[in-house]
């Protein structure tokens, strides 16, 4: 399913911080495992890599095995760093198969919700039952009971999003009494579930969309969902059927607006139909197109030949006709036997630019091959589509945007039952201007007693000469204070950097008044500076989210003059580019670059510099600023 950019601003990679002792480092196997793939690597230990999500400074993904799954820790460059095994739920036995996951959604404090279904057999009747699993920040896995309805009908869950305001997950899917051949002899209802962020064991409120009886308009499915900014407002996409010639029915790609459901009744709007009135279409993924516009990706039909084709659309829920683009492969639509489709759409860091991916058959009788390309919000492409393979068969099942702008995609290499997992970077354009460092391993480590006390005392000499510490993980809203006393005035600088997660800094006097603070977004570095006189003070390090290991440093120096000197050499375009880069990287808006760059920009530059270098080195400053300037989106 599609990448879900709907959770908190930073998703902490929780599990591998606390379970590093059992995480297994795994090197990528040799390329011959999928020699034909033009990009990425294959992993024969998995039959598929089925879902991926951004996680801190890297990614998390699911590797499928015959009897279970591995939750993978992946670097920003797409390499597997470690994994933990997720065992099937206890109710999986002779009567049920291992679950199949369709999506993975980030929740608060680094939790993940796994979304899918399992085949259950009761009284010799087999059907699909929806299932979710919540993986906590500590690595514990809590399974839901199978979500089933009466009468041997199937319930399949496809995708979800996290609702920050409602402190819940919303999950969409379908409830059906059977597959259909276009005659609409069977029915299918769209479903929307509301799942509390910390509890998947109880019954979920479920809203059904459509009727549970045969009919030409009674087949509906919801494949993807996203929030639209306003509290309790969402958009879902999928298909709804309509009557067609010859006592048949056809699928129409559609989107619906959804509101409420937490403390008020559900409101689900009328399906907004996208596509031709005389051909089948399905919509698998939806994204924000900006200014009230939405983009969706799916499959359709090339009207000239009736060939299956990939589909893209842009629409606004208004009376204006949607913009629809049909992409058959090959372009003349001569292959009427393939299964061309886009099922992933990922907004990139550059405004108005997207990546779409899926699979397509290039010639009659060819296997489907993984496919991706870049598009604009007006559905235009700067170049032809890219194919992952040409003969072996492949598929791209999901993709996620990393914090540095790269897009990691996952899927399969091979065909039928003989597939192996595949993973690769489809967009390797890094939007940061350097390699983010880890907390300094040479710093002394705070022990458990220090962390439990929540504060330590540092001496005047340590503050004056500079001091630093490393710390273990912190839960969201936890604090650690570094207290000191002064008998004379000094300049004090404090910095903080987490391996993953969001930390903030605040300098406070003995009365609790805040003298200076740094609160950059996500895992951006922190930097504050102030001139203070005699008295008692404390610098608080505050975990705004779950934080893995971190470092804290102080130094008695004012290096802002060095930064201002470097900034003064930028021309107007350079100031604008630097300001855009810092804002995009989570360091806030430094003011109006048309006028000049002031103190806020100095702090942002030094906070960013701290993510690249542990110690301030004036010789590196000009290159850091110069490298950041052209990397900013224009």
């Amino acid at each position: 399913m599609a990448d879900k950019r709907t959770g908190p601003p930073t998703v902490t990679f929780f599990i591998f911080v606390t379970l590093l002792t059992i995480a297994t480092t795994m090197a990528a196997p040799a390329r011959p495992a999928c020699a034909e793939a033009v990009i990425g690597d294959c992993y024969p230990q998995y039959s598929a890599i089925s879902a991926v999500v951004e996680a801190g400074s890297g990614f998390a993904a699911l590797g499928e095995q015959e009897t279970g799954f591995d939750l993978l820790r992946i670097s920003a460059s797409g390499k597997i760093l470690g994994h933990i095994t997720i065992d099937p739920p206890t109710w999986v036995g002779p009567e049920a198969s291992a679950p199949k996951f369709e999506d993975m959604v980030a929740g608060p404090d680094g939790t993940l919700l796994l979304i899918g279904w399992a085949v259950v057999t009761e009284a010799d009747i087999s059907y699909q039952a929806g299932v979710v699993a919540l993986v906590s920040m500590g690595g514990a896995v809590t399974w839901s009971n199978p979500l089933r309805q009466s009468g041997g009908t199937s319930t399949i869950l496809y995708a979800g999003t996290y609702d920050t305001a409602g402190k819940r997950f919303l999950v969409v899917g379908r409830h059906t009494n059977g597959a259909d051949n276009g005659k609409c002899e069977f029915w299918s209802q769209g479903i929307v579930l509301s799942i509390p962020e910390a509890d998947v064991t109880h019954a979920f409120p479920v809203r059904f969309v459509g009727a549970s009886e045969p009919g030409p308009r009674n087949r509906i499915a919801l494949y993807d969902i996203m929030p639209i900014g306003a509290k309790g407002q969402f958009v879902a996409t999928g298909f709804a059927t309509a009557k067609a010639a010859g006592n048949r029915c056809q699928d129409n790609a559609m989107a619906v607006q959804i509101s409420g459901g937490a403390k008020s009744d559900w409101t689900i709007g009328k399906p907004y139909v996208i596509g031709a009135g005389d051909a089948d279409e399905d919509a698998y993924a939806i994204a924000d197109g900006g200014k009230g516009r939405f983009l969706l990706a799916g499959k359709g039909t090339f009207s000239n030949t009736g060939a299956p084709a990939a589909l893209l659309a842009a629409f606004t829920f208004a009376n204006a006709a949607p913009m629809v683009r049909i992409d058959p492969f090959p372009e003349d639509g001569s292959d009427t036997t393939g299964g061309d489709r886009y099922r992933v759409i990922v907004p990139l860091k550059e405004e108005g630019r997207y990546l779409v991916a899926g699979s397509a058959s290039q010639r009659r009788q060819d296997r489907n091959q993984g496919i991706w390309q870049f598009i604009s919000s007006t559905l235009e492409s700067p170049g032809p589509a890219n194919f992952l393979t040409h003969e072996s068969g492949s598929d791209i099942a999901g993709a996620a945007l990393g914090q540095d702008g790269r897009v990691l995609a996952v899927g399969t290499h091979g065909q039928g039952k003989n597939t192996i997992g595949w993973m690769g970077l489809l967009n390797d354009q890094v939007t940061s201007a350097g390699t983010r460092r880890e907390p300094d391993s040479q710093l002394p480590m705070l022990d458990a007693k220090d962390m439990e006390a929540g504060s330590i005392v540092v001496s005047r000499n340590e503050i004056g000469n500079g001091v630093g510490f490393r710390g273990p993980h912190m839960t969201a809203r936890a604090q650690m204070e570094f207290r000191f006393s002064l008998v004379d005035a000094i300049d004090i600088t404090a910095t903080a950097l987490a391996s993953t997660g969001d930390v903030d800094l605040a300098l406070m006097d003995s009365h609790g008044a805040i003298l200076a603070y740094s609160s950059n977004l996500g895992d951006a570095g922190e930097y504050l500076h102030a001139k203070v006189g005699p008295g008692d003070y404390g610098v608080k390090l505050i975990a705004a989210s779950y934080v893995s290991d971190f470092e804290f440093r102080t130094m008695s120096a004012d290096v802002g003059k060095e930064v201002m000197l470097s900034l003064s050499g930028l021309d107007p375009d350079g100031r604008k580019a630097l300001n855009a880069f810092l804002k995009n990287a989570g360091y806030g808006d430094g003011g109006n670059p048309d006028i000049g760059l002031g103190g806020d920009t100095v702090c942002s530059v030094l906070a960013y510099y701290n993510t690249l270098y542990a110690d301030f080195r004036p010789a590196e400053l000009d290159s850091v600023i110069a490298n950041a300037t052209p990397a900013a989106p224009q």
Side-chain angles (χ1 to χ4, degrees), residues 429-518:
Q429 180 178 347
V430 181
T431 55
S432 64
T435 301
R436 192 178 191 277
R437 68 181 179 89
E438 293 295 314
D440 189 348
S441 61
Q442 301 302 311
L443 293 174
M445 190 75 170
L446 296 169
D447 60 29
K449 291 183 179 179
D450 294 330
M451 299 301 297
E452 184 178 356
S455 69
I456 65 171
V457 175
V458 293
S459 69
R460 163 63 180 85
N461 287 338
E462 288 176 314
I463 289 293
N465 297 325
V467 67
F469 300 95
R470 281 183 64 215
H473 68 274
M474 298 173 66
T475 59
R477 296 173 292 280
Q479 299 182 14
M480 185 67 196
E481 185 175 22
F482 302 87
R483 297 181 286 115
F484 56 95
S485 297
L486 299 175
V487 295
D488 53 0
I490 65 169
D491 284 295
I492 181 171
T493 296
T495 64
L497 178 68
S499 180
T500 59
D502 188 357
V503 294
D504 296 328
L505 285 178
L507 172 64
M508 310 176 74
D509 66 15
S510 59
H511 302 292
I514 296 177
L515 306 179
Y517 68 93
S518 176

Side-chain angles (χ1 to χ4, degrees), residues 16 25 30 111 130 156 163 170 199 204 245 252 280 286 313 325 339 360 375 387 410 444 483 525 527 530 532 598:
F16 303 98
T25 300
T111 57
I156 309 166
D163 176 16
L170 290 187
D199 184 9
F204 315 130
N252 290 323
D280 286 331
I286 192 165
R325 171 176 149 181
I375 64 169
F387 282 90
V410 299
R483 297 181 286 115
Y527 173 96
V532 294

Side-chain angles (χ1 to χ4, degrees), residues 252-341:
N252 290 323
M254 64 87 180
V256 293
Q257 294 176 295
I258 301 173
S259 62
K263 296 183 179 179
S264 61
D265 291 337
W266 290 100
T267 300
I268 300 180
K270 182 180 179 180
Y272 181 91
V273 176
I274 296 121
D278 58 353
D280 286 331
E281 301 97 12
D282 288 333
Y284 298 130
I286 192 165
D288 186 356
K291 299 180 180 179
R293 176 193 295 250
F294 300 94
L295 305 182
L296 62 78
K299 69 176 183 179
T301 305
F302 186 52
S303 59
N304 292 1
T305 63
L311 175 143
L312 295 169
F315 64 98
T316 62
F317 282 109
N319 292 328
M323 182 186 306
V324 178
R325 171 176 149 181
I326 298 292
D327 290 347
F329 297 95
E331 293 182 0
D332 61 4
S334 58
D335 179 11
T336 59
T337 63
D340 306 347
R341 69 254 179 157

